[in-house]
Amino acid sequence: MPELPEVEALKDFLTEHLVGRRVARVLPVAISVLKTYDPPVTAFEGGEVTAVLRHGKFLDLAADSGLHLVTHLARAGWLQWKDRLPDGPPKPGKGPLALRVALETGEGFDLTEAGTQKRLAVYVVRDPQQIEGIARLGPDPLAADFDEDRFAALLKDERRQLKGALRDQSLIAGVGNAYSDEILHAAKMSPFKLAASLTPDETHRLYAALRTTLTEAVDRSRGVAAGRLKAEKKSGLRVHGRTGEPCPVCGDTIREVSFSDSSLQYCPTCQTGGKPLADRRLSRLLK
């Protein structure tokens, strides 16, 4: 799933390629991708893009018409830029193409989604706050006013485990499964430690890991073409998706805990005092 760093990089890329240019056509291929119908998606056509914004994991194209075309790429969605779009409208079918945005210059982009779980979402709204997922977002962890005191206040009464708390978009916007693993590894904390149990020193360590991990990921992604961002993300991950590989910090074997539809990765030596966590599908985790 694209998370804050990749969506931030897409925002920068599209700012360079879209701002000041006029949208000729918005062509839905999979009707299920459209989550709003008034105004219709065609109302975005003819507008000049004035800004590209990010709200957590949502990407927002603002036009001089006052409308916003907002997308959430979900787990398997992606944006593919085309210097020259194919002639003629795309044909509906079983392929991954969900929606095409064409500029008057002949350039544009496709929104695609792999797999059978179609969760990619596109909205056309007058105000992004009309979208429930944006309206409920917590603070952006890279915002200038997101300081350690604010972070501590969010976690103070949070009775959930750190892994779940970091992924909750209403608590902190933009962090998903991959970067929560990376943040907890950098902070040397168990994913199942209770957020409210953190000492001031642990809170400081987790805040520093959150900001540093995301900032470094954004810096790595900045300037990378849209088509290479997925590979860039994977190359920069230390533990997520690396089950069975040696930890780059201590050399211990990276372990995994699996859930019904996701998994997490961690280093026992760095994060859990050398004790592997039991797979929660089979038994309770080891304290």
Side-chain angles (χ1 to χ4, degrees), residues 75 117 119 167 256-264 279-282:
R75 175 173 291 185
Q117 295 185 351
R119 297 177 180 174
R167 293 184 63 188
E256 176 177 304
V257 175
S258 297
F259 303 92
S260 59
D261 62 350
S262 65
S263 64
L264 66 83
D279 192 318
R280 288 173 63 103
R281 292 176 303 179
L282 305 176

Side-chain angles (χ1 to χ4, degrees), residues 169-279:
Q169 300 303 293
S170 64
L171 191 73
I172 300 171
V175 178
N177 197 31
Y179 286 107
S180 57
D181 283 352
E182 297 299 299
I183 290 162
L184 290 166
H185 179 256
K188 299 185 182 299
M189 291 183 187
S190 168
F192 297 113
K193 185 176 182 65
L194 290 180
S197 72
L198 296 182
T199 65
D201 178 67
E202 288 172 330
T203 300
H204 173 76
R205 205 163 77 232
L206 185 60
Y207 174 77
L210 172 72
R211 297 275 288 201
T212 300
T213 299
L214 294 178
T215 299
E216 289 180 351
V218 169
D219 289 344
R220 284 196 309 271
S221 299
R222 186 163 282 130
V224 176
R228 301 206 312 272
L229 280 170
K230 284 186 180 180
E232 174 55 40
K233 175 181 181 177
K234 186 175 181 180
S235 70
L237 298 176
R238 290 180 155 202
V239 292
H240 184 78
R242 299 193 180 278
T243 303
E245 298 181 21
C247 170
V249 174
C250 71
D252 194 1
T253 301
I254 294 169
R255 308 293 182 95
E256 176 177 304
V257 175
S258 297
F259 303 92
S260 59
D261 62 350
S262 65
S263 64
L264 66 83
Q265 286 79 42
Y266 69 100
C267 169
T269 295
C270 290
Q271 296 175 252
T272 58
K275 296 181 180 180
L277 301 176
D279 192 318

Side-chain angles (χ1 to χ4, degrees), residues 29-239:
V29 177
I31 299 301
S32 61
V33 77
L34 298 177
K35 306 304 179 185
T36 57
Y37 303 95
D38 182 21
V41 68
T42 53
F44 200 75
E45 296 176 348
E48 180 181 303
V49 179
T50 56
V52 182
L53 310 167
R54 177 182 62 79
H55 314 280
K57 302 177 192 177
F58 289 83
L59 196 60
D60 172 6
L61 310 185
D64 60 359
S65 61
L67 295 179
H68 297 255
L69 190 148
V70 180
T71 185
H72 189 288
L73 294 170
R75 175 173 291 185
W78 197 243
L79 184 149
Q80 297 181 351
W81 179 260
K82 309 282 187 180
D83 290 329
R84 181 70 191 180
L85 288 170
D87 295 329
K91 296 180 179 179
K94 296 183 179 181
L97 181 60
L99 181 135
R100 174 168 292 166
V101 175
L103 302 180
E104 288 185 342
T105 58
E107 302 165 287
F109 63 84
D110 289 340
L111 294 178
T112 62
E113 185 172 24
T116 58
Q117 295 185 351
K118 301 302 182 182
R119 297 177 180 174
L120 189 150
V122 175
Y123 312 79
V124 176
V125 292
R126 296 177 178 86
D127 181 352
Q129 291 298 317
Q130 294 175 279
I131 300 169
E132 181 181 356
I134 292 179
R136 70 178 183 86
L137 286 176
D140 192 292
L142 294 186
D145 62 352
F146 188 75
D147 58 18
E148 189 172 330
D149 288 342
R150 191 176 183 188
F151 180 63
L154 289 175
L155 298 184
K156 179 169 64 72
D157 299 318
E158 185 56 62
R159 301 303 302 174
R160 286 177 295 174
Q161 297 161 337
L162 287 175
K163 174 72 176 180
L166 288 174
R167 293 184 63 188
D168 183 351
Q169 300 303 293
S170 64
L171 191 73
I172 300 171
V175 178
N177 197 31
Y179 286 107
S180 57
D181 283 352
E182 297 299 299
I183 290 162
L184 290 166
H185 179 256
K188 299 185 182 299
M189 291 183 187
S190 168
F192 297 113
K193 185 176 182 65
L194 290 180
S197 72
L198 296 182
T199 65
D201 178 67
E202 288 172 330
T203 300
H204 173 76
R205 205 163 77 232
L206 185 60
Y207 174 77
L210 172 72
R211 297 275 288 201
T212 300
T213 299
L214 294 178
T215 299
E216 289 180 351
V218 169
D219 289 344
R220 284 196 309 271
S221 299
R222 186 163 282 130
V224 176
R228 301 206 312 272
L229 280 170
K230 284 186 180 180
E232 174 55 40
K233 175 181 181 177
K234 186 175 181 180
S235 70
L237 298 176
R238 290 180 155 202
V239 292

